[in-house]
């Protein structure tokens, strides 16, 4: 009897008129601000990730090294096929980590690059503080993940070998020009779409997958443009996601 009731209620919800849902849009979330939200991060699946380790509970047969995964929903995207994104905002932060041998974990974050003046570079190339903690310079790109008419706010954190990719991406955005009244201006970052895919990389210390970033072209959908614009405003107005750990085994 209880099962029948549940099924009836579910069916009733599914048949609620869209007009009614539109009238109640946002109800119950009036006091939720940007600071109360967690922006999902898109991460690259690397060697050692629990998603590709058959001995781990989170192992997923369809996921492979080099794929892109949403750290909140665990949705994944083929890295070679890539994804389409629209940049909304950018913030560089300096994350302070406790060394793994001392327990590991995020100890805090800094926004002033002057923190680097307090560090020394160790043999592994890390910027180490007098306390023994180290600073990881991180470039946070806040973007909309575009899937047809679905636009999802996400963050892409680039650090270590990927900082060069971040600088190149910023240079591409800053290098765009459009004519307005006979004058060339730099359009908003969310005026263009980009294709992000993954490529294998290596050096003397090992191999991994990194980002490949290509300009697609101008955003033509006004809804997409306005959504990215609002996301940019909410990101700039808050500190959300700035302290999210980025050094994970993906």
């Amino acid at each position: 009897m209880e099962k029948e009731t549940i099924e009836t209620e579910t069916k009733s919800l599914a048949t609620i008129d869209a007009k009614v849902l539109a009238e109640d849009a946002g109800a119950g979330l009036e006091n939720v601000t940007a600071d109360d939200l967690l922006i999902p991060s898109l991460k690259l699946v690397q060697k050692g990730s629990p998603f590709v380790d058959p001995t781990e509970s989170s192992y997923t047969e369809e996921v492979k090294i080099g794929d892109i995964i949403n750290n909140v929903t665990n949705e994944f995207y083929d890295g070679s096929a890539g994804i389409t994104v629209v940049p909304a905002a950018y913030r560089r932060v300096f994350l302070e980590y406790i060394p793994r041998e001392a327990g590991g974990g995020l100890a805090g974050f800094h926004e002033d690059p002057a923190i680097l003046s307090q560090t020394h570079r160790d043999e592994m190339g890390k910027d180490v503080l007098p306390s023994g903690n180290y600073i990881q310079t991180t470039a946070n790109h806040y973007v909309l993940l575009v899937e047809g008419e679905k636009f999802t706010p996400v963050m892409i954190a680039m650090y270590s070998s990927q900082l060069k990719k971040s600088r190149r991406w910023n240079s591409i955005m800053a290098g765009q020009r459009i004519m307005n009244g006979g004058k060339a201006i730099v359009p908003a970052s969310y005026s263009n779409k980009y294709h992000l895919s993954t490529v294998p990389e290596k050096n003397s210390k090992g191999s991994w997958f990194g980002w490949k970033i290509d300009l697609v072209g101008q955003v033509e959908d006004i809804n997409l443009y306005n959504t990215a614009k609002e996301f940019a405003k909410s990101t700039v107005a808050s500190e959300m996601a700035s302290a999210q750990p980025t050094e994970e085994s993906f």
Side-chain angles (χ1 to χ4, degrees):
M1 187 66 179
E2 182 180 355
K3 181 179 180 181
E4 292 178 358
T5 301
I6 293 174
E7 290 178 348
T8 300
E9 290 176 349
T10 303
K11 183 177 180 181
S12 298
L13 279 173
T15 57
I16 291 178
D17 190 275
K19 182 178 180 181
V20 175
L21 295 177
E23 291 174 351
D24 296 332
L29 301 173
E30 296 87 352
N31 296 318
V32 176
T33 68
D35 293 315
D36 300 311
L37 301 175
L38 173 65
I39 299 179
S41 290
L42 294 183
K43 297 178 178 290
L44 303 185
V45 178
Q46 308 286 7
K47 296 177 182 178
S49 164
F51 292 101
V52 294
D53 185 345
T55 65
E56 296 286 345
S57 60
S58 56
Y59 170 72
T60 305
E61 187 175 358
E62 295 84 0
V63 178
K64 62 184 183 299
I65 297 172
D67 281 349
I68 303 165
I69 197 157
N70 182 313
N71 75 327
V72 172
T73 65
N74 284 346
E75 293 176 276
F76 66 92
Y77 307 87
D78 186 293
S80 58
I83 56 177
T84 299
V85 304
V86 173
Y90 169 80
R91 178 181 287 136
R92 183 175 62 160
V93 296
F94 304 88
L95 303 183
E96 181 178 341
Y97 282 98
I98 301 170
R100 290 183 178 178
E101 58 270 21
L106 184 69
F109 78 96
H110 310 266
E111 292 189 290
D112 188 347
I115 187 68
L116 293 176
S117 66
Q118 303 176 32
T119 67
H120 71 274
R121 188 66 59 89
D122 70 4
E123 66 278 3
M124 297 298 292
K126 292 183 177 181
D127 295 310
V128 183
L129 291 165
S131 65
N133 292 349
Y134 63 93
I135 298 296
Q136 178 180 279
T137 301
T138 305
N140 289 338
H141 291 265
Y142 299 88
V143 307
L144 286 185
L145 173 61
V146 181
E147 301 174 89
E149 296 183 357
K150 178 184 176 183
F151 315 140
T152 306
V154 295
M155 183 184 77
I156 299 173
M158 297 186 179
Y159 50 96
S160 189
S161 65
Q162 301 307 295
L163 286 175
K164 182 183 292 186
K165 309 288 185 68
S166 172
R167 290 192 290 270
R168 177 179 176 273
W169 193 2
N170 285 335
S171 296
I172 293 174
M173 289 187 279
Q176 299 304 302
R177 296 291 186 276
I178 60 173
M179 298 304 296
N180 180 50
K183 181 180 180 181
I185 64 171
V186 179
S189 64
Y190 41 83
S191 297
N192 288 289
K193 294 183 290 186
Y194 293 81
H195 180 256
L196 271 57
S197 55
T198 67
V199 292
E201 301 177 0
K202 65 179 180 179
N203 61 19
S204 60
K205 298 178 181 179
S207 60
W208 63 92
F209 273 83
W211 292 103
K212 183 176 184 296
I213 303 164
D214 296 296
L215 174 65
V216 174
Q218 186 174 339
V219 170
E220 298 177 343
D221 183 343
I222 188 61
N223 291 324
L224 173 56
Y225 183 91
N226 286 334
T227 302
K229 183 176 182 179
E230 288 304 311
F231 181 36
K233 289 180 180 178
S234 67
T235 303
V236 170
S238 74
E239 296 296 324
M240 60 182 178
S242 290
Q244 285 190 41
T246 59
E247 188 180 66
E248 298 182 26
S249 299
F250 286 91

